Amino acid sequence: MGFSPRYVKDYFVQSKLKTVLIWIVEIALVVLLAAGVSFFFCKSIVVQEGSMEPTLTAGNRVLINSAAYKLSSPERGDIVVYRTTEDAKSSLHIKRIIGLPGETVQIKDGQILIDGETYVEQKDFPAITNPGLAEDAIKLGSGEYFVLGDNRNNSEDSRHVDVGNIKKKNIVGKLWFVVSPMDRFGILKK
């Protein structure tokens, strides 16, 4: 019993059609995956101010992980991008998270106190000369964060009335990678 030429031809046409459809589905999935990765992990921003020096300087291009806080919460030491209002068109700011929800933050004698204990940072930042609002203890509410610029004495941050505590819903994402300049290229460390 043999195969008819028509059956063989139909089999090969169906086989090729199936192969082409598999390729189309695979390409579509790769494009969607690439778009998702790009959307969540590769948004870039150029640092506009010197408030994060020496960690970041004006003109540095960095990548934002906008998915970082969808399933988790910001941690102390994270460098975040946020807006001071809920308006999506408001300007973006970059600062380091110091105080977490429920904590009390105060700046006394140039030192940061968290719940009355001196906060020892992993990096060597200068003593703070202007405690601003944090001269008196600030109790952070649910979903509120206290942020400071690394350039502690030249940064408009949570110590100032026009910034204040940052709400989690206004945090755009976590900075994770420096793209340029090339001498700073790499993963951004806490």
Side-chain angles (χ1 to χ4, degrees), residues 90-146:
S90 65
S91 61
L92 297 173
H93 303 277
I94 301 171
K95 300 290 185 270
R96 185 179 300 273
I97 291 184
I98 301 298
L100 304 173
E103 294 180 336
T104 300
V105 177
Q106 185 175 15
I107 299 174
K108 192 173 186 179
D109 300 324
Q111 299 296 309
I112 302 166
L113 303 175
I114 298 176
D115 293 334
E117 300 290 324
T118 300
Y119 171 53
V120 179
E121 298 185 88
Q122 297 174 356
K123 294 187 176 187
D124 187 28
F125 297 116
I128 299 171
T129 58
N130 176 14
L133 296 173
E135 184 172 10
D136 298 319
I138 297 172
K139 177 72 173 172
L140 298 169
S142 176
E144 288 186 335
Y145 296 86
F146 187 90

Side-chain angles (χ1 to χ4, degrees), residues 16-107:
K16 286 185 181 200
L17 183 60
K18 184 177 179 181
T19 301
V20 168
L21 288 174
I22 289 172
W23 272 89
I24 290 171
V25 169
E26 288 175 347
I27 290 170
L29 288 174
V30 167
V31 168
L32 286 173
L33 180 63
V37 167
S38 176
F39 179 76
F40 288 112
F41 302 107
C42 296
K43 287 182 182 177
S44 72
I45 183 174
V46 175
V47 178
Q48 299 292 321
E49 50 197 31
S51 69
M52 286 302 292
E53 291 177 354
T55 308
L56 296 168
T57 58
N60 288 168
R61 180 171 290 279
V62 291
L63 297 181
I64 305 168
N65 177 348
S66 58
Y69 304 130
K70 301 293 184 209
L71 300 174
S72 67
S73 293
E75 297 176 3
R76 191 180 334 278
D78 286 356
I79 299 174
V80 296
V81 176
Y82 66 92
R83 298 180 194 283
T84 53
T85 68
E86 294 181 38
D87 181 6
K89 293 180 181 178
S90 65
S91 61
L92 297 173
H93 303 277
I94 301 171
K95 300 290 185 270
R96 185 179 300 273
I97 291 184
I98 301 298
L100 304 173
E103 294 180 336
T104 300
V105 177
Q106 185 175 15
I107 299 174

Side-chain angles (χ1 to χ4, degrees), residues 41-45 56 60-65 174-180 182 184-189:
F41 302 107
C42 296
K43 287 182 182 177
S44 72
I45 183 174
L56 296 168
N60 288 168
R61 180 171 290 279
V62 291
L63 297 181
I64 305 168
N65 177 348
K174 177 181 178 179
L175 290 188
W176 71 280
F177 199 88
V178 178
V179 177
S180 70
M182 288 307 287
R184 299 190 84 165
F185 185 84
I187 295 175
L188 191 57
K189 297 176 183 148

